[in-house]
Amino acid sequence: MLVVSEEVREAIDAARPVVALESTIIAHGLPRPRNLEVARELEETVRREGAVPATVAVLDGQPRVGLDEGHLERVANEDGVRKLGHRDLPLAVAAGASGATTVSATARLAALAGIRVFATGGLGGVHREWTLTQDESADLGLLARTRITVVCAGVKSILDVPATLQRLETLGVAVAGFGTDRFPGFYLSDSGHPVDWTLDSPEQVAAVMRAQDELAAPDSALIVANPVPEAEQLDPGLHARVLSDALRACAERGVTGQAVTPFLLDHLVRHTDGASLSANLAAVRGNVRLAARIATAWTKG
């Protein structure tokens, strides 16, 4: 059922570096035609670092790990491409649906294919006012039972960051800052919260991955929190002001459930004149580069 492209399969079989990439940013995170340009750019970034890109999606009910140009164009341009978490995968397969994969679905399918390193922008997490809404991203539970290394820029700053870090600790998911002892805040280099561990090189990350295997540790992810460079982050003052306005607008309009995150992210893009989107892309690019270097260090071990 899982279709792995020939290029990706050959790289896995030959123990060459492979990096999984999600497709939600292509279908739902960027406007056309910018989305296709970014998809190609991210794959090329992986290749420049000597690794093989494996963008993940479901097309016509077939989970695919590794997309060709035609597949990328479909994800970017086709109307009706759904947004799929890991819980949606069996439904999409049975229905013959097409969908872009979120963090949880991408991690699940990449791990099934034998890929160990995955690059994304920011993780989902515990939502604000969780005690009232019980709203928590499916990313966390899936990462608690999937052996994969996820390079990200922390969690989206619209979430409850300290609660998310606490939840990851409870679930036994390891978190390390890359070159920092601060947890990044997606658009921001520093969310205002510390991390317990710092890793300073791709080789150190790969050493942790090997130790996970040698210790027969439970199948949970390693989160490598890679901050967006300060020069490319969203201005912290602007971020705080616009996010506060966005949260107030969300409450006033009665936006709830799954509609909250896209509402807040859209508000940030519009009211920062696109600066939040620029910071988002800067974070993704950096994460993809780092993930390729980690995958290379991993295969050399």
Side-chain angles (χ1 to χ4, degrees):
M1 184 180 297
L2 180 65
V3 179
V4 181
S5 73
E6 183 178 357
E7 180 187 25
V8 172
R9 173 53 57 199
E10 289 179 351
I12 292 170
D13 291 345
R16 298 200 307 272
V18 180
V19 175
L21 303 171
E22 65 164 288
S23 51
T24 297
I25 189 174
I26 306 171
H28 302 286
L30 296 167
R32 300 170 183 169
R34 183 74 175 117
N35 56 347
L36 183 57
E37 295 169 1
V38 169
R40 292 168 175 156
E41 176 193 348
L42 296 180
E43 289 208 343
E44 181 56 31
T45 298
V46 174
R47 295 188 192 281
R48 283 199 303 269
E49 295 294 337
V52 172
T55 303
V56 178
V58 177
L59 295 173
D60 303 320
Q62 284 193 319
R64 292 184 173 272
V65 177
L67 305 183
D68 63 23
E69 178 65 18
H71 296 146
L72 284 177
E73 290 178 359
R74 284 191 61 187
V75 173
N77 297 323
E78 218 171 76
D79 292 330
V81 173
R82 300 181 67 120
K83 185 176 182 179
L84 304 178
H86 71 280
R87 71 168 189 169
D88 303 307
L89 293 174
L91 294 157
V93 168
S98 296
T101 52
T102 63
V103 167
S104 67
T106 303
R108 176 62 179 159
L109 294 175
L112 283 175
I115 298 172
R116 191 63 181 269
V117 181
F118 165 34
T120 187
L123 297 181
V126 177
H127 286 244
R128 295 167 187 255
E129 299 186 349
W130 181 88
T131 54
L132 298 176
T133 65
Q134 301 290 292
D135 193 352
E136 175 185 315
S137 170
D139 293 355
L140 305 186
L142 189 282
L143 294 177
R145 55 183 185 275
T146 304
R147 180 61 56 81
I148 196 163
T149 295
V150 183
V151 183
C152 65
V155 299
K156 297 177 177 68
S157 55
I158 61 174
L159 302 174
D160 188 327
V161 177
T164 300
L165 287 170
Q166 180 60 56
R167 186 69 176 135
L168 287 168
E169 179 181 345
T170 300
L171 291 169
V173 179
V175 178
F178 189 81
T180 181
D181 61 359
R182 310 294 295 174
F183 191 67
F186 192 45
Y187 301 121
L188 307 176
S189 300
D190 183 354
S191 69
H193 302 278
V195 290
D196 293 329
W197 296 94
T198 300
L199 300 170
D200 293 312
S201 69
E203 290 73 22
Q204 282 189 329
V205 178
V208 175
M209 294 163 64
R210 284 189 283 274
Q212 284 181 311
D213 294 345
E214 291 165 2
L215 291 169
D219 281 338
S220 60
L222 168 63
I223 294 175
V224 179
N226 182 40
V228 62
E230 286 190 16
E232 297 181 277
Q233 71 173 343
L234 183 61
D235 176 77
L238 176 63
H239 173 269
R241 184 170 63 255
V242 174
L243 179 56
S244 177
D245 291 343
L247 291 168
R248 184 166 52 252
C250 190
E252 289 173 352
R253 298 183 190 185
V255 179
T256 59
Q258 291 185 335
V260 171
T261 294
F263 176 89
L264 294 177
L265 293 178
D266 177 68
H267 189 101
L268 280 165
V269 171
R270 288 187 291 107
H271 291 271
T272 61
D273 293 326
S276 65
L277 182 58
S278 296
N280 181 0
L281 290 176
V284 172
R285 292 185 186 102
N287 295 341
V288 168
R289 282 192 298 270
L290 177 57
R293 293 168 186 172
I294 291 169
T296 299
W298 166 249
T299 56
K300 287 181 178 178

